[in-house]
Amino acid sequence: MTNVKPLIDQYDLSVFGTSTPDIIAIADKQYSHPTQTVKKDHPRINLTQDMLPGIRAALVNPLNKAIAEQFRAYVDSDCDGVLGAPEEKFLNRNGVHNYDHRVLAAIEAKALNYLLTRDARYGYQAIYAMLNFLRTLDIQWIASDGCREHGYAMFIAAEVYDWCYGLMTPEVRQGMIAAVENRLCAGEVGDPSFTNSSIYKRKMEVGFPPTTQDSGVNGHGSEAQILRDYLSFALAIHDENPSWWELVGGCLQDNYIPVRQHYYQADFYPQGIGYLCHRFYSDLYSAWLYMHATDENPYVGIERVVPTLFAMELPDAQNTFSSGDGGPLSAITRYKNLSILTAAISGDPLIWTFARDTGAFDGTGTGTTTITAAAFLILASGGTPFVDDDRHEHLPLHKYNGGYMGLLTTRSRWYDVSAPALQLKVGVKSTANHDHGDSGSFQIYYKGLLTHDGGLYVNFGHYQTRCYHGSSVSHNTLLFFD
C-alpha cells in the first residue's frame, strides 16, 4: 500500500451518514462549562509538536529495541483497515465480531510515523485504513463490555483525526466524525439473539450523548469510555464541533474530577486491585490527555498511587496484598501499564524503575487497555531514567494511606522472604461495586498468606458475591449486627 490519497479523494463518505452538529442539544442533561481551554494547535492528542524529537530519540534508544521493532513492523505493514467477516471467537473476547486490535495498532503507528517523518504517504495510509476500519467493523456481540472495543476504536480515530489533521479535507473530517458517531457511539450491537442485559447491547454503555453511567464513583462509566475515548475524540474535533468538549469536559469537571481528588487524598484508588488496570488506567490516560490538550493535570496526587502499590509488595517480590476484587495474590507484572503512564506523567526515576521491573521494555501486548508500541514511544519521549539501586531501597517499611481509606502496610525488613508483612485497614468510606466491605480487616503474610482478602469474584452479581464474597463476613474482621 503506497499512495492511497486518490482512494481517499474518491471515498464514499455517505456510507457513514451525517453527524449531530450539537450533541448538547439532544443530551438528557447538561453539565457546567469546562474551565480548561483546549489548544488550537494540532497535534494535541497524547502529544504535542515539541515532543517529536523525544519520540525520535526513544525510537533509536537501545533500551526500547523490542518495542521499536514492533513499531516499525506496524508502520511497514500492508494494513488497509479492511476487516474480514465476523466470526465466533472463544478466546479472550468471546462473541461474534471481527474486531482486531492489531489493525488499530498498525493504523496508530502509521499516523505517528507521519508526524515523525512528515512523509505524507503514511498519514494518508492511516486515514484510509481508519475509514475502512470504521466502515467494516461488525461487532454482533461480545460476552460483556463491548463498549471497550468500540471505545478503543474511537480513541485511535481521535489520534488519526488529530495527528493527520492537515492531510484531511473538511469533508473527510466530517465523514470521520459521522463514522465515529454512527458506527461506534450510537445504537446497539447487531445480533438480535444477544440476550445479555440491555445496557450491554449498547455500543457504548454510557450512551450517545454520554450521559448515563456518569456518577464518576464506580461502574463502567469510570473506565475508559468517558475518561479516554469520548474525551480524546472531544478534544480532537474541538475546532469543528466544540459541543463534544462542552458536554464531556463539563461531565468530567462536575462528576469525575472531584471524586478523584477525594480518592487521591489516600494516595490510592479504591475500586479493587483487579480493576486498577481498567479504572485507574483510565484516570491516568485522562490526565495525560488533559496535560497535552489543555496544559493542565486536574488530579492532585495521581502520581502517588503506583508507589503505594509497590509499597504493598509481599516478601516474595512477585505479588502484592490484595484489596477488593482482584486477588488474593496480585502479580506486580499486572501494574506494567499503570507504571508506564505514571512514570511518563511524573518523570520520576523510581516509577520508571517500577515499569522496568514489570517488563515494560520487553514489548507490548494486545487489548483495549494495553500500551501499544506507538503509545510507549510517546510516553518514553521525556526519557526513561532509573534509580541506580534496587527499588526496595526507596520504599518505606511502613506505608500509611490516610484520608477515607485508613490503610497501613508494614513489615520488618525488605530483602527477606521469611520476613512477615502485615496490612491493616480501618476505612471510613466504601465506594461499593468492586470495593469490598473490609473496614476493620487485616492480612498477614509469613512465608505465604496466612489471612487474606476474599479476592476476585467468580460471577459478578451472583448472590454469593453480594451476600458473602464482597461483604465483611468473608474478611478477617468483626461484624457487629444490631
Side-chain angles (χ1 to χ4, degrees), residues 57-347:
L59 187 56
V60 297
N61 186 336
L63 187 67
N64 305 332
K65 180 181 177 182
I67 291 170
E69 288 176 351
Q70 287 184 318
F71 174 76
R72 292 191 180 98
Y74 280 131
V75 169
D76 295 335
S77 70
D78 263 344
C79 172
D80 64 1
V82 177
L83 301 169
E87 57 186 30
E88 191 163 9
K89 302 185 181 183
F90 300 98
L91 294 175
N92 194 14
R93 299 296 282 164
N94 298 350
V96 176
H97 60 87
N98 62 358
Y99 175 87
D100 191 335
H101 176 86
R102 296 166 300 177
V103 173
L104 290 174
I107 294 171
E108 179 187 43
K110 288 175 182 292
L112 179 58
N113 198 56
Y114 160 64
L115 288 179
L116 296 175
T117 65
R118 286 302 168 183
D119 187 334
R121 290 176 301 168
Y122 295 104
Y124 286 124
Q125 289 173 18
I127 296 165
Y128 182 62
M130 193 72 243
L131 292 172
N132 283 338
F133 186 97
L134 294 168
R135 177 176 58 83
T136 58
L137 178 65
D138 187 354
I139 297 177
Q140 295 186 9
W141 65 272
I142 287 178
S144 66
D145 313 345
C147 58
R148 292 176 182 169
E149 281 73 20
H150 288 106
Y152 190 74
M154 190 195 316
F155 171 59
I156 300 300
E159 291 182 323
V160 172
Y161 190 101
D162 176 58
W163 298 352
C164 305
Y165 187 86
L167 298 179
M168 292 191 289
T169 65
E171 291 75 21
V172 172
R173 292 182 200 131
Q174 286 301 323
M176 193 172 290
I177 293 172
V180 167
E181 290 185 5
N182 298 321
R183 302 286 295 162
L184 301 180
C185 299
E188 299 182 345
V189 294
D191 189 346
S193 67
F194 181 48
T195 57
N196 211 327
S197 77
S198 59
I199 198 165
Y200 290 132
K201 291 182 180 180
R202 295 179 190 164
K203 293 176 182 175
M204 296 296 285
E205 291 176 24
V206 295
F208 179 73
T211 56
T212 61
Q213 295 187 335
D214 61 350
S215 76
V217 176
N218 60 37
H220 289 175
S222 60
E223 294 178 359
Q225 291 183 85
I226 293 177
L227 287 160
R228 182 194 64 191
D229 307 331
Y230 267 111
L231 174 60
S232 62
F233 204 71
L235 292 168
I237 68 170
H238 183 266
D239 301 345
E240 287 71 38
N241 190 343
S243 70
W244 272 63
W245 168 245
E246 289 290 318
L247 187 67
V248 176
C251 174
L252 286 165
Q253 182 172 277
D254 291 356
N255 294 356
Y256 286 76
I257 293 172
V259 170
R260 277 138 190 80
Q261 297 297 61
H262 193 64
Y263 282 172
Y264 299 138
Q265 290 176 13
D267 298 349
F268 205 53
Y269 189 96
Q271 273 288 290
I273 287 286
Y275 280 80
L276 290 175
C277 299
H278 283 292
R279 298 191 177 172
F280 179 56
Y281 162 96
S282 302
D283 280 16
L284 288 166
Y285 237 115
S286 66
W288 186 256
L289 287 163
Y290 268 103
M291 286 169 62
H292 295 92
T294 72
D295 284 333
E296 293 184 34
N297 179 352
Y299 309 124
V300 176
I302 192 171
E303 73 283 354
R304 297 194 294 263
V305 175
V306 164
T308 287
L309 284 170
F310 282 86
M312 291 169 58
E313 184 182 314
L314 297 176
D316 64 10
Q318 298 178 7
N319 299 283
T320 65
F321 279 115
S322 189
S323 174
D325 285 333
L329 290 171
S330 188
I332 63 171
T333 53
R334 295 195 63 184
Y335 309 140
K336 177 172 77 171
N337 294 340
L338 308 181
S339 299
I340 295 169
L341 279 161
T342 303
I345 289 169
S346 66

